[in-house]
Amino acid sequence: MVIDGVTKASFDELVEIETDEGERRLGKVLEIGFGKAVVQVFEGTTGLAITGTKVKFLGKTMTMPVSQELLGRVFDGLGRPNDGLPDPVADKFLDVNGEPMNPQSREYPTSFIQTGVSVIDGMLTLVRGQKLPIFSGSGMSHNILAAQIARQATVVGTNEDFAVVFAAIGVQYSEAQYFKRSLEESGALRRSVLFINLADDPAIERIITPRVALTVAEYLAFDLGMHVLAILTDMTNYAEALREISAAREEVPGRKGYPGYLYTDLANNYERAGRIKGKSGSVTQMPILSMPADDITHPIPDLTGYITEGQVVLGRDLFRKGIYPPVNVMMSLSRLMKDGVGEGKTRSDHMEVGNQLYDAYSRAQEVRALAEIVGKAGLTGVDLKYLDAGDNFETHFLKQSPDENRNLDETLSRAWDILAALPEGELTKIKDKHIQQYYKGNK
Amino acid sequence: MSLNSLERTLDKVLSQKESELISEIDSALQNSLKNLESSKSTLQVEYDAIIESSKKQAENLKRQIIGSSTLNARNKELIIIESAIDEIFTKAKEKLAQSNNEKNYEKLLTKMIQDSVSKLGSDIVIQCNKADQKLVRKISSQEPTGKNMKISVSDDFLDIIGGIKATSVDGTMTLDNTLDSNIESLKPLIRKAIVQLLRGEKK
């Protein structure tokens, strides 16, 4: 929408549009100059007439009213109540673009978050303040995994408050209902804030949704001292909306038509995670993105991977085999795991067991490839044991029910069950004292 | 073969068979006892697993029930508070609507007109409600912002509790300075103050 006769508007300024029938909509200034302002209307321009439409520049950027009352509430993509309840009473109004964290004040993340999902807790441990994305593909079970993590995530062994901020970006109505129901039925909604932007909502609203969600996450973490897990799904829809708006603004397109500032824009969102010295709370981010055509070199996963601290990759082969969660551990990594596990944090054997599982599964993959050529008969006894360990890993450790919440002891116990199939001499990543204590195989 | 030797042979076979059978029974008994013993530990593991899973289920159920009850109670509180807020706003608006005879109200309208002129220029059209028209005309005629102004008061009345709406003569710009719109823009702050009073957080 282009407005004439504008002299004092600012970039990103919020605009209120009133139709001649009295309906009010919101928009934001995209461009200004030559006495004109280009405004993107959040609710879309359908039904707006040239005559009779009034525009009010609100003199401020978009803000989100925040307070502890937001917990247990469901909002739309712009932060308006979507649960039939009144507007929350605001403690503060915060700019949705957030304030950058002073790098000097950042504290290195070192504390464990238990998700109840074995493969994540055991091998790709999530640490408070980390940003760990899930790279998925179209039709895979990333939404089920996201909902499971939202329901189960917790900080173990402390009385510190834990909250989940869940932003569903450009999702279908059925998916939105699934997320809502899933949190309601598990009783996790009371410690969660849910933002739902539907696929048929205007593109500009999709740009706002993660910002609104992260604003709330920052408030809960740094004002109220809570440990917050922000789950953003699906960031691919966010990037698509960014491309759509960029094209409408006639900007020079970059890779695959995405704007050249896609990296900066994604970083603006992803960098809103972390811990701050002197404050007790933390914002941990788990953005989820579906890779178009499962292509990990696509600009969205590619740029995301540069910014975040590792990635959890879901594999099409495992998904087709009916394994949930279909995490391809060989392509996945949590860069901060080493600092968040071990003696005094989780369990002293945690890191070593994780490394040994990586080693065993990687050998199992090689043996599987070899068996396809020479057949099982051509394998050595140790190879066969690795083959068994690989199968066991997928069925006993990786695979779990979407409502199964495994604590860390159970996860590590399952890991030791798998390692029991291997001869003791093969456990080269684990210290002797831990083998003595936990190894269940024949010594 | 004599009858005696046949009997002896039969006895021998029978006793051999008997001892075989007894040994088989013994061994079966031993096997059964062994199986029973090993089953005990398997059963114990299964029993523990069932108990553990039931405990988990019970814990989940407890969390669900507590979670949804707390949330329901909180949501009901929010609805009650909101209806109280609505009532307070309605009463406040009624009171404001009756305040146009007060001296302060004339001052407020004067300030609003001055504000409109400074923002929209000296040539403006003012709309107000029917009850305020006389007062607005009086203030406008007193040239509140100096001379060379052209303030006209419209006969097209607004359905508002008070204040004015000023429009530039070309109709492109409007300044909504009605009490209704001011209340609306300050509503979040007023709501917060009301909630604090209702919850006893502020006196």
Side-chain angles (χ1 to χ4, degrees):
Chain A
M1 184 166 132
V2 181
I3 302 155
D4 258 333
V6 181
T7 50
K8 283 182 181 169
S10 328
F11 177 69
D12 252 5
E13 185 175 340
L14 210 57
V15 179
E16 189 181 88
I17 299 120
E18 192 181 335
T19 66
D20 50 356
E21 283 143 15
E23 185 204 344
R24 284 185 183 179
R25 301 183 192 184
L26 280 179
K28 75 169 184 175
V29 177
L30 292 184
E31 293 280 351
I32 1 156
F34 307 107
K36 290 182 170 57
V38 181
V39 171
Q40 183 102 27
V41 186
F42 292 139
E43 293 89 343
T45 49
T46 313
L48 288 185
I50 293 173
T51 52
T53 301
K54 290 173 196 159
V55 173
K56 191 166 157 187
F57 289 87
L58 299 180
K60 59 177 185 182
T61 54
M62 189 157 179
T63 55
M64 174 72 196
V66 290
S67 71
Q68 191 159 12
E69 272 187 17
L70 298 186
L71 289 168
R73 299 290 308 267
V74 183
F75 299 92
D76 70 2
L78 291 177
R80 295 173 299 202
N82 199 10
D83 49 8
L85 292 170
D87 285 341
V89 176
D91 193 25
K92 277 182 177 179
F93 288 84
L94 297 178
D95 185 341
V96 297
N97 295 304
E99 277 182 42
M101 273 186 216
N102 181 352
Q104 190 66 31
S105 311
R106 278 185 184 262
E107 200 169 348
Y108 197 81
T110 53
S111 314
F112 168 64
I113 290 181
Q114 183 175 292
T115 63
V117 178
S118 283
V119 67
I120 295 179
D121 293 345
M123 299 174 75
L124 307 161
T125 308
L126 185 62
V127 179
R128 276 184 244 167
Q130 186 180 8
K131 33 195 182 286
L132 185 65
I134 296 178
F135 291 178
S136 181
S138 170
M140 282 205 273
S141 39
H142 49 273
N143 284 337
I144 299 174
L145 182 59
Q148 184 175 11
I149 293 170
R151 285 193 310 267
Q152 298 178 173
T154 179
V155 173
V156 185
T158 66
N159 291 324
E160 292 169 298
D161 286 328
F162 190 82
V164 175
V165 174
F166 195 103
I169 307 161
V171 298
Q172 293 167 13
Y173 182 75
S174 56
E175 288 172 324
Q177 285 306 307
Y178 168 74
F179 290 135
K180 201 175 154 187
R181 209 176 43 244
S182 165
L183 290 173
E184 271 172 357
E185 285 174 358
S186 64
L189 186 61
R190 76 172 168 146
R191 55 155 207 187
S192 311
V193 190
L194 191 56
F195 293 90
I196 294 176
N197 165 264
L198 293 172
D200 61 351
D201 288 332
I204 186 77
E205 199 176 307
R206 214 153 293 155
I207 303 296
I208 303 292
T209 308
R211 290 179 165 80
V212 170
L214 290 168
T215 304
V216 172
E218 285 169 345
Y219 171 77
L220 294 174
F222 304 127
D223 283 54
L224 302 185
M226 303 175 97
H227 294 292
V228 184
L229 174 64
I231 299 176
L232 314 171
T233 177
D234 178 335
M235 286 303 283
T236 300
N237 294 335
Y238 170 83
E240 299 287 350
L242 206 62
R243 176 164 69 175
E244 198 178 317
I245 290 166
S246 168
R249 289 160 81 171
E250 298 183 4
E251 289 166 348
V252 180
R255 271 202 293 168
K256 289 196 191 276
Y258 292 98
Y261 52 80
L262 178 64
Y263 177 81
T264 323
D265 196 281
L266 288 174
N268 273 338
N269 288 310
Y270 296 149
E271 288 294 343
R272 292 173 77 176
R275 304 192 67 175
I276 297 178
K277 282 178 193 160
K279 300 208 174 181
S280 56
S282 63
V283 176
T284 308
Q285 253 194 62
M286 214 166 203
I288 295 171
L289 45 102
S290 48
M291 300 178 283
D294 292 352
D295 176 12
I296 203 163
T297 65
H298 186 277
I300 306 169
D302 187 30
L303 298 178
T304 297
Y306 287 132
I307 307 160
T308 52
E309 291 135 350
Q311 70 277 332
V312 177
V313 182
L314 303 191
R316 186 72 63 184
D317 290 347
L318 290 165
F319 177 68
R320 286 201 184 112
K321 275 164 100 175
I323 290 171
Y324 169 85
V327 177
N328 181 344
V329 290
M330 302 319 296
M331 291 183 76
S332 306
L333 171 74
S334 167
R335 289 185 200 280
L336 303 186
M337 178 180 174
K338 62 181 184 344
D339 304 301
V341 300
E343 191 80 59
K345 291 167 185 167
T346 53
R347 220 172 78 173
S348 55
D349 59 327
H350 190 162
M351 192 72 217
E352 293 165 17
V353 170
N355 287 342
Q356 191 65 58
L357 278 181
Y358 260 113
D359 183 76
Y361 191 56
S362 138
R363 280 282 298 276
Q365 302 278 58
E366 284 170 22
V367 174
R368 271 180 193 169
L370 187 65
E372 277 181 21
I373 301 163
V374 300
K376 268 193 178 181
L379 300 177
T380 65
V382 175
D383 283 348
L384 287 170
K385 284 183 175 167
Y386 271 107
L387 207 55
D388 279 347
D391 292 342
N392 269 339
F393 173 80
E394 287 173 3
T395 53
H396 190 67
F397 184 83
L398 188 57
K399 191 174 185 174
Q400 76 179 78
S401 155
D403 51 12
E404 188 182 355
N405 188 356
R406 293 185 191 153
N407 61 32
L408 188 67
D409 278 334
E410 192 180 344
T411 289
L412 293 178
S413 166
R414 281 172 183 263
W416 279 106
D417 284 344
I418 291 152
L419 297 177
L422 300 175
E424 192 182 331
E426 293 292 314
L427 307 184
T428 53
K429 310 278 180 205
I430 304 177
K431 284 183 188 139
D432 286 345
K433 64 171 183 178
H434 293 138
I435 294 177
Q436 295 295 327
Q437 195 176 348
Y438 298 110
Y439 182 59
K440 299 173 185 171
N442 294 325
K443 292 186 182 178
Chain B
M1 189 187 276
S2 70
L3 200 63
N4 274 347
S5 69
L6 185 65
E7 271 179 8
R8 268 201 309 276
T9 311
L10 273 173
D11 281 347
K12 205 174 168 186
V13 170
L14 278 174
S15 89
Q16 217 171 6
K17 205 67 201 167
E18 189 187 359
S19 61
E20 267 177 35
L21 281 172
I22 287 170
S23 123
E24 271 176 31
I25 289 167
D26 273 349
S27 116
L29 181 68
Q30 289 310 316
N31 275 341
S32 305
L33 288 173
K34 214 190 256 176
N35 283 343
L36 195 65
E37 202 53 43
S38 64
S39 298
K40 263 186 190 171
S41 58
T42 318
L43 275 175
Q44 188 61 42
V45 170
E46 276 180 27
Y47 172 82
D48 288 345
I50 291 167
I51 294 289
E52 191 58 34
S53 122
S54 307
K55 270 185 188 166
K56 267 189 183 175
Q57 276 182 16
E59 193 57 40
N60 283 344
L61 207 61
K62 187 179 149 194
R63 229 183 5 243
Q64 277 172 32
I65 293 168
I66 292 175
S68 56
S69 312
T70 316
L71 207 57
N72 281 340
R74 201 278 310 261
N75 291 349
K76 276 183 187 154
E77 187 206 0
L78 289 182
I79 291 169
I80 292 167
I81 286 178
E82 197 59 25
S83 69
I85 290 173
D86 285 344
E87 209 173 308
I88 291 167
F89 268 100
T90 313
K91 286 201 173 151
K93 281 180 182 174
E94 277 169 12
K95 208 172 171 189
L96 277 172
Q98 290 160 3
S99 64
N100 58 353
N101 293 327
E102 291 175 18
K103 191 73 188 162
N104 281 345
Y105 187 63
E106 188 178 335
K107 273 188 197 165
L108 179 70
L109 279 181
T110 310
K111 196 171 176 310
M112 283 174 169
I113 294 170
Q114 287 168 343
D115 217 27
S116 308
V117 170
S118 73
K119 288 198 171 94
L120 303 177
S122 55
D123 210 356
I124 58 169
V125 179
I126 293 176
Q127 278 180 285
C128 57
N129 64 21
K130 198 174 177 181
D132 289 348
Q133 196 193 34
K134 217 172 159 185
L135 189 57
V136 173
R137 277 191 200 283
K138 183 185 140 198
I139 298 167
S140 305
S141 65
Q142 288 167 353
E143 298 181 332
T145 56
K147 290 185 179 174
N148 300 326
M149 288 187 319
K150 200 176 165 196
I151 303 174
S152 40
V153 182
S154 168
D155 288 331
D156 197 3
F157 300 120
L158 296 173
D159 184 18
I160 52 170
I161 54 171
I164 58 161
K165 197 181 223 180
T167 311
S168 59
V169 272
D170 59 2
T172 54
M173 287 190 283
T174 303
L175 183 67
D176 191 347
N177 223 341
T178 58
L179 291 183
D180 307 57
S181 78
N182 283 326
I183 288 173
E184 205 55 43
S185 61
L186 288 171
K187 201 170 181 181
L189 297 175
I190 303 171
R191 281 179 79 225
K192 186 183 172 186
I194 296 172
V195 170
Q196 282 175 332
L197 284 171
L198 288 172
R199 286 186 175 149
E201 293 162 6
K202 202 175 169 183
K203 287 180 184 173

PDB file of all heavy atoms in Angstrom, chain B residues 65-84:
ATOM      1  N   ILE B  65      -3.302 -33.123  35.105  1.00  0.00           N
ATOM      2  CA  ILE B  65      -4.461 -32.656  35.877  1.00  0.00           C
ATOM      3  C   ILE B  65      -4.127 -31.341  36.572  1.00  0.00           C
ATOM      4  O   ILE B  65      -4.889 -30.367  36.496  1.00  0.00           O
ATOM      5  CB  ILE B  65      -4.912 -33.736  36.895  1.00  0.00           C
ATOM      6  CG1 ILE B  65      -5.452 -34.951  36.135  1.00  0.00           C
ATOM      7  CG2 ILE B  65      -5.955 -33.187  37.851  1.00  0.00           C
ATOM      8  CD1 ILE B  65      -5.666 -36.178  36.973  1.00  0.00           C
ATOM      9  N   ILE B  66      -2.952 -31.317  37.229  1.00  0.00           N
ATOM     10  CA  ILE B  66      -2.568 -30.084  37.934  1.00  0.00           C
ATOM     11  C   ILE B  66      -2.413 -28.942  36.937  1.00  0.00           C
ATOM     12  O   ILE B  66      -2.915 -27.830  37.151  1.00  0.00           O
ATOM     13  CB  ILE B  66      -1.259 -30.295  38.741  1.00  0.00           C
ATOM     14  CG1 ILE B  66      -1.522 -31.267  39.891  1.00  0.00           C
ATOM     15  CG2 ILE B  66      -0.716 -28.966  39.281  1.00  0.00           C
ATOM     16  CD1 ILE B  66      -0.312 -31.659  40.685  1.00  0.00           C
ATOM     17  N   GLY B  67      -1.747 -29.249  35.816  1.00  0.00           N
ATOM     18  CA  GLY B  67      -1.494 -28.226  34.795  1.00  0.00           C
ATOM     19  C   GLY B  67      -2.780 -27.633  34.270  1.00  0.00           C
ATOM     20  O   GLY B  67      -2.959 -26.410  34.258  1.00  0.00           O
ATOM     21  N   SER B  68      -3.698 -28.508  33.859  1.00  0.00           N
ATOM     22  CA  SER B  68      -4.914 -27.977  33.247  1.00  0.00           C
ATOM     23  C   SER B  68      -5.811 -27.305  34.287  1.00  0.00           C
ATOM     24  O   SER B  68      -6.462 -26.303  33.980  1.00  0.00           O
ATOM     25  CB  SER B  68      -5.668 -29.052  32.468  1.00  0.00           C
ATOM     26  OG  SER B  68      -5.948 -30.105  33.309  1.00  0.00           O
ATOM     27  N   SER B  69      -5.814 -27.821  35.529  1.00  0.00           N
ATOM     28  CA  SER B  69      -6.651 -27.184  36.557  1.00  0.00           C
ATOM     29  C   SER B  69      -6.115 -25.796  36.888  1.00  0.00           C
ATOM     30  O   SER B  69      -6.891 -24.831  36.999  1.00  0.00           O
ATOM     31  CB  SER B  69      -6.677 -28.002  37.846  1.00  0.00           C
ATOM     32  OG  SER B  69      -6.936 -29.321  37.548  1.00  0.00           O
ATOM     33  N   THR B  70      -4.795 -25.697  37.048  1.00  0.00           N
ATOM     34  CA  THR B  70      -4.194 -24.393  37.360  1.00  0.00           C
ATOM     35  C   THR B  70      -4.512 -23.398  36.247  1.00  0.00           C
ATOM     36  O   THR B  70      -4.873 -22.249  36.501  1.00  0.00           O
ATOM     37  CB  THR B  70      -2.655 -24.530  37.491  1.00  0.00           C
ATOM     38  OG1 THR B  70      -2.377 -25.686  38.244  1.00  0.00           O
ATOM     39  CG2 THR B  70      -2.034 -23.321  38.136  1.00  0.00           C
ATOM     40  N   LEU B  71      -4.352 -23.900  35.024  1.00  0.00           N
ATOM     41  CA  LEU B  71      -4.587 -23.028  33.871  1.00  0.00           C
ATOM     42  C   LEU B  71      -6.046 -22.590  33.784  1.00  0.00           C
ATOM     43  O   LEU B  71      -6.344 -21.413  33.544  1.00  0.00           O
ATOM     44  CB  LEU B  71      -4.183 -23.783  32.604  1.00  0.00           C
ATOM     45  CG  LEU B  71      -3.753 -22.932  31.435  1.00  0.00           C
ATOM     46  CD1 LEU B  71      -2.598 -22.034  31.815  1.00  0.00           C
ATOM     47  CD2 LEU B  71      -3.339 -23.834  30.282  1.00  0.00           C
ATOM     48  N   ASN B  72      -6.950 -23.545  34.025  1.00  0.00           N
ATOM     49  CA  ASN B  72      -8.378 -23.217  33.978  1.00  0.00           C
ATOM     50  C   ASN B  72      -8.731 -22.169  35.030  1.00  0.00           C
ATOM     51  O   ASN B  72      -9.464 -21.225  34.755  1.00  0.00           O
ATOM     52  CB  ASN B  72      -9.233 -24.464  34.221  1.00  0.00           C
ATOM     53  CG  ASN B  72      -9.323 -25.286  32.962  1.00  0.00           C
ATOM     54  OD1 ASN B  72      -9.081 -24.777  31.873  1.00  0.00           O
ATOM     55  ND2 ASN B  72      -9.643 -26.556  33.089  1.00  0.00           N
ATOM     56  N   ALA B  73      -8.178 -22.380  36.234  1.00  0.00           N
ATOM     57  CA  ALA B  73      -8.467 -21.443  37.315  1.00  0.00           C
ATOM     58  C   ALA B  73      -7.936 -20.052  36.943  1.00  0.00           C
ATOM     59  O   ALA B  73      -8.615 -19.041  37.134  1.00  0.00           O
ATOM     60  CB  ALA B  73      -7.819 -21.924  38.610  1.00  0.00           C
ATOM     61  N   ARG B  74      -6.713 -20.024  36.414  1.00  0.00           N
ATOM     62  CA  ARG B  74      -6.103 -18.746  36.038  1.00  0.00           C
ATOM     63  C   ARG B  74      -6.938 -18.063  34.937  1.00  0.00           C
ATOM     64  O   ARG B  74      -7.214 -16.872  34.984  1.00  0.00           O
ATOM     65  CB  ARG B  74      -4.672 -19.004  35.550  1.00  0.00           C
ATOM     66  CG  ARG B  74      -3.725 -17.820  35.593  1.00  0.00           C
ATOM     67  CD  ARG B  74      -3.824 -16.858  34.420  1.00  0.00           C
ATOM     68  NE  ARG B  74      -3.771 -17.500  33.131  1.00  0.00           N
ATOM     69  CZ  ARG B  74      -2.686 -17.588  32.378  1.00  0.00           C
ATOM     70  NH1 ARG B  74      -1.561 -17.103  32.816  1.00  0.00           N
ATOM     71  NH2 ARG B  74      -2.734 -18.173  31.187  1.00  0.00           N
ATOM     72  N   ASN B  75      -7.373 -18.873  33.953  1.00  0.00           N
ATOM     73  CA  ASN B  75      -8.161 -18.299  32.856  1.00  0.00           C
ATOM     74  C   ASN B  75      -9.490 -17.731  33.345  1.00  0.00           C
ATOM     75  O   ASN B  75      -9.940 -16.686  32.879  1.00  0.00           O
ATOM     76  CB  ASN B  75      -8.399 -19.352  31.775  1.00  0.00           C
ATOM     77  CG  ASN B  75      -7.114 -19.692  31.048  1.00  0.00           C
ATOM     78  OD1 ASN B  75      -6.113 -18.998  31.211  1.00  0.00           O
ATOM     79  ND2 ASN B  75      -7.118 -20.752  30.274  1.00  0.00           N
ATOM     80  N   LYS B  76     -10.098 -18.434  34.311  1.00  0.00           N
ATOM     81  CA  LYS B  76     -11.368 -17.931  34.863  1.00  0.00           C
ATOM     82  C   LYS B  76     -11.119 -16.608  35.578  1.00  0.00           C
ATOM     83  O   LYS B  76     -11.909 -15.666  35.481  1.00  0.00           O
ATOM     84  CB  LYS B  76     -11.969 -18.960  35.813  1.00  0.00           C
ATOM     85  CG  LYS B  76     -12.767 -19.992  35.031  1.00  0.00           C
ATOM     86  CD  LYS B  76     -13.438 -20.994  35.905  1.00  0.00           C
ATOM     87  CE  LYS B  76     -14.066 -22.067  35.020  1.00  0.00           C
ATOM     88  NZ  LYS B  76     -14.203 -23.343  35.677  1.00  0.00           N
ATOM     89  N   GLU B  77      -9.985 -16.538  36.307  1.00  0.00           N
ATOM     90  CA  GLU B  77      -9.631 -15.303  37.013  1.00  0.00           C
ATOM     91  C   GLU B  77      -9.478 -14.152  35.999  1.00  0.00           C
ATOM     92  O   GLU B  77      -9.980 -13.051  36.215  1.00  0.00           O
ATOM     93  CB  GLU B  77      -8.329 -15.500  37.791  1.00  0.00           C
ATOM     94  CG  GLU B  77      -7.989 -14.307  38.684  1.00  0.00           C
ATOM     95  CD  GLU B  77      -6.503 -14.171  38.972  1.00  0.00           C
ATOM     96  OE1 GLU B  77      -5.701 -14.997  38.484  1.00  0.00           O
ATOM     97  OE2 GLU B  77      -6.145 -13.210  39.651  1.00  0.00           O
ATOM     98  N   LEU B  78      -8.817 -14.469  34.866  1.00  0.00           N
ATOM     99  CA  LEU B  78      -8.607 -13.444  33.837  1.00  0.00           C
ATOM    100  C   LEU B  78      -9.936 -12.919  33.308  1.00  0.00           C
ATOM    101  O   LEU B  78     -10.104 -11.712  33.107  1.00  0.00           O
ATOM    102  CB  LEU B  78      -7.791 -14.009  32.665  1.00  0.00           C
ATOM    103  CG  LEU B  78      -6.305 -14.295  32.915  1.00  0.00           C
ATOM    104  CD1 LEU B  78      -5.639 -14.809  31.640  1.00  0.00           C
ATOM    105  CD2 LEU B  78      -5.591 -13.046  33.391  1.00  0.00           C
ATOM    106  N   ILE B  79     -10.876 -13.844  33.106  1.00  0.00           N
ATOM    107  CA  ILE B  79     -12.186 -13.436  32.567  1.00  0.00           C
ATOM    108  C   ILE B  79     -12.925 -12.554  33.582  1.00  0.00           C
ATOM    109  O   ILE B  79     -13.511 -11.527  33.226  1.00  0.00           O
ATOM    110  CB  ILE B  79     -13.011 -14.679  32.167  1.00  0.00           C
ATOM    111  CG1 ILE B  79     -12.364 -15.332  30.942  1.00  0.00           C
ATOM    112  CG2 ILE B  79     -14.460 -14.326  31.871  1.00  0.00           C
ATOM    113  CD1 ILE B  79     -12.873 -16.694  30.579  1.00  0.00           C
ATOM    114  N   ILE B  80     -12.853 -12.953  34.852  1.00  0.00           N
ATOM    115  CA  ILE B  80     -13.540 -12.171  35.898  1.00  0.00           C
ATOM    116  C   ILE B  80     -12.919 -10.772  35.995  1.00  0.00           C
ATOM    117  O   ILE B  80     -13.631  -9.753  36.037  1.00  0.00           O
ATOM    118  CB  ILE B  80     -13.482 -12.905  37.261  1.00  0.00           C
ATOM    119  CG1 ILE B  80     -14.330 -14.178  37.180  1.00  0.00           C
ATOM    120  CG2 ILE B  80     -13.955 -12.017  38.401  1.00  0.00           C
ATOM    121  CD1 ILE B  80     -14.137 -15.141  38.317  1.00  0.00           C
ATOM    122  N   ILE B  81     -11.585 -10.750  35.991  1.00  0.00           N
ATOM    123  CA  ILE B  81     -10.895  -9.452  36.072  1.00  0.00           C
ATOM    124  C   ILE B  81     -11.271  -8.580  34.872  1.00  0.00           C
ATOM    125  O   ILE B  81     -11.547  -7.389  35.006  1.00  0.00           O
ATOM    126  CB  ILE B  81      -9.359  -9.662  36.151  1.00  0.00           C
ATOM    127  CG1 ILE B  81      -8.985 -10.157  37.538  1.00  0.00           C
ATOM    128  CG2 ILE B  81      -8.600  -8.373  35.829  1.00  0.00           C
ATOM    129  CD1 ILE B  81      -7.539 -10.451  37.752  1.00  0.00           C
ATOM    130  N   GLU B  82     -11.328  -9.195  33.693  1.00  0.00           N
ATOM    131  CA  GLU B  82     -11.639  -8.428  32.491  1.00  0.00           C
ATOM    132  C   GLU B  82     -13.049  -7.841  32.559  1.00  0.00           C
ATOM    133  O   GLU B  82     -13.268  -6.697  32.151  1.00  0.00           O
ATOM    134  CB  GLU B  82     -11.483  -9.319  31.241  1.00  0.00           C
ATOM    135  CG  GLU B  82     -11.391  -8.573  29.939  1.00  0.00           C
ATOM    136  CD  GLU B  82     -10.229  -7.587  29.851  1.00  0.00           C
ATOM    137  OE1 GLU B  82      -9.230  -7.785  30.567  1.00  0.00           O
ATOM    138  OE2 GLU B  82     -10.348  -6.615  29.088  1.00  0.00           O
ATOM    139  N   SER B  83     -13.978  -8.633  33.093  1.00  0.00           N
ATOM    140  CA  SER B  83     -15.340  -8.088  33.166  1.00  0.00           C
ATOM    141  C   SER B  83     -15.392  -6.938  34.179  1.00  0.00           C
ATOM    142  O   SER B  83     -16.104  -5.944  33.983  1.00  0.00           O
ATOM    143  CB  SER B  83     -16.369  -9.176  33.479  1.00  0.00           C
ATOM    144  OG  SER B  83     -16.176  -9.616  34.777  1.00  0.00           O
ATOM    145  N   ALA B  84     -14.564  -7.044  35.244  1.00  0.00           N
ATOM    146  CA  ALA B  84     -14.501  -5.939  36.213  1.00  0.00           C
ATOM    147  C   ALA B  84     -13.900  -4.696  35.559  1.00  0.00           C
ATOM    148  O   ALA B  84     -14.368  -3.572  35.759  1.00  0.00           O
ATOM    149  CB  ALA B  84     -13.661  -6.356  37.417  1.00  0.00           C
TER     150      ALA B  84
END
